[in-house]
Amino acid sequence: MTVLDMLAVSAPTRLDPIELFLDADIVVQLVIVGLILASIWTWTIIIGFSMRMGRTRRNCDAFEEDFWTHEDVDSVLDARRRKDNPSARVAAAGIAEFRRSHKAGLKDPVAARSRVAQALEGQVAHEADRQADRLNFLATTGSVAPFVGLFGTVWGIMNSFFQIGMQQNSSLAVVAPGIAEALFATAIGLFAAIPAVIAYNRLSNTVNGFEARLHRFADRVHAQISREMEV
């Protein structure tokens, strides 16, 4: 039996990711471990963000209902600002600016309305940035992970060619295992990148929708404060 026949007999009959990882070069192994960790963190962000956004929406619904139905606005704000409630912080920013202007005397109602609008818009932008902050990792993973996997693949193929030179044998049976190990890094890179890209686009759209909701609420608050200035 020749060496090639022995390799053919000992060749695996199915794809074994664990065996590919264990047989890979140390550099390829480090690349794969890094990509797996990035994938785990990606799914942690996806699940955590979805749960937090659902909780935030419920808190905002409850606050806005209380805000428009209760006459004692201060008590509603004090109760809600202790929680993670973007709507409460938006309303508090506009009311605080209104009270500062009212305390100084409404010499220029138009300028006071403009300052209230700026305070509301600034707080809305801040709340949207807070919600989208952790999504940056998803964007980075989605764009970088394929290239990191490709680096592992290139390194593994270079190592396979080095083995060809060492063994002085260019047979496919000699180089195929090394190439398979190298390509495994690319597969892991895509495994990390594809969910990250899909989740980033989906969750970014969710943040945009939530920001639009806060803008609508801020407009209603601004209209209410404008009516108070006319009294």
Side-chain angles (χ1 to χ4, degrees), residues 4-27:
L4 293 180
D5 292 335
M6 294 176 61
L7 289 172
V9 171
S10 61
T13 58
R14 62 183 179 85
L15 183 63
D16 189 344
I18 297 178
E19 184 177 350
L20 287 175
F21 172 76
L22 295 176
D23 293 339
D25 183 80
I26 182 62
V27 175

Side-chain angles (χ1 to χ4, degrees), residues 21 29-45 137-138 141 145 148 188-189 191-193 196:
F21 172 76
Q29 288 181 343
L30 291 175
V31 168
I32 292 174
V33 169
L35 291 172
I36 291 175
L37 292 176
S39 180
I40 293 173
W41 185 239
T42 294
W43 282 104
T44 301
I45 292 175
F137 183 82
L138 298 182
T141 301
V148 175
I188 296 297
F191 176 78

Side-chain angles (χ1 to χ4, degrees), residues 128-171:
D129 290 341
R130 286 187 60 187
Q131 296 295 329
D133 183 52
R134 297 181 68 183
L135 299 185
N136 292 331
F137 183 82
L138 298 182
T140 302
T141 301
S143 60
V144 173
F147 295 101
V148 175
L150 183 60
F151 167 76
T153 297
V154 171
W155 184 274
I157 292 176
M158 288 171 57
N159 188 55
S160 295
F161 281 118
F162 178 76
Q163 294 299 325
I164 291 175
M166 291 289 294
Q167 299 181 24
Q168 297 183 355
N169 190 339
S170 61
S171 171

Side-chain angles (χ1 to χ4, degrees), residues 74-221:
D74 289 331
S75 63
V76 176
L77 288 176
D78 290 339
R80 297 294 179 178
R81 276 188 292 180
R82 290 194 292 269
K83 299 180 180 179
D84 184 15
N85 197 312
S87 292
R89 289 191 289 266
V90 169
I95 292 173
E97 179 59 40
F98 163 70
R99 288 176 176 172
R100 282 192 293 268
S101 299
H102 192 273
K103 184 177 181 180
L106 291 176
K107 299 178 182 179
D108 189 348
V110 176
R113 290 190 183 93
S114 177
R115 289 193 297 270
V116 170
Q118 290 175 357
L120 291 168
E121 290 295 321
Q123 189 63 38
V124 168
H126 177 70
E127 296 300 332
D129 290 341
R130 286 187 60 187
Q131 296 295 329
D133 183 52
R134 297 181 68 183
L135 299 185
N136 292 331
F137 183 82
L138 298 182
T140 302
T141 301
S143 60
V144 173
F147 295 101
V148 175
L150 183 60
F151 167 76
T153 297
V154 171
W155 184 274
I157 292 176
M158 288 171 57
N159 188 55
S160 295
F161 281 118
F162 178 76
Q163 294 299 325
I164 291 175
M166 291 289 294
Q167 299 181 24
Q168 297 183 355
N169 190 339
S170 61
S171 171
L172 183 61
V174 174
V175 300
I179 294 177
E181 296 160 7
L183 293 175
F184 184 54
T186 297
I188 296 297
L190 295 175
F191 176 78
I194 292 173
V197 172
I198 295 174
Y200 177 76
N201 292 332
R202 181 68 183 88
L203 297 181
S204 294
N205 185 62
T206 300
V207 172
N208 292 336
F210 184 72
E211 183 179 9
R213 170 199 173 134
L214 290 181
H215 276 298
R216 291 191 295 269
F217 176 67
D219 289 341
R220 292 185 63 190
V221 173

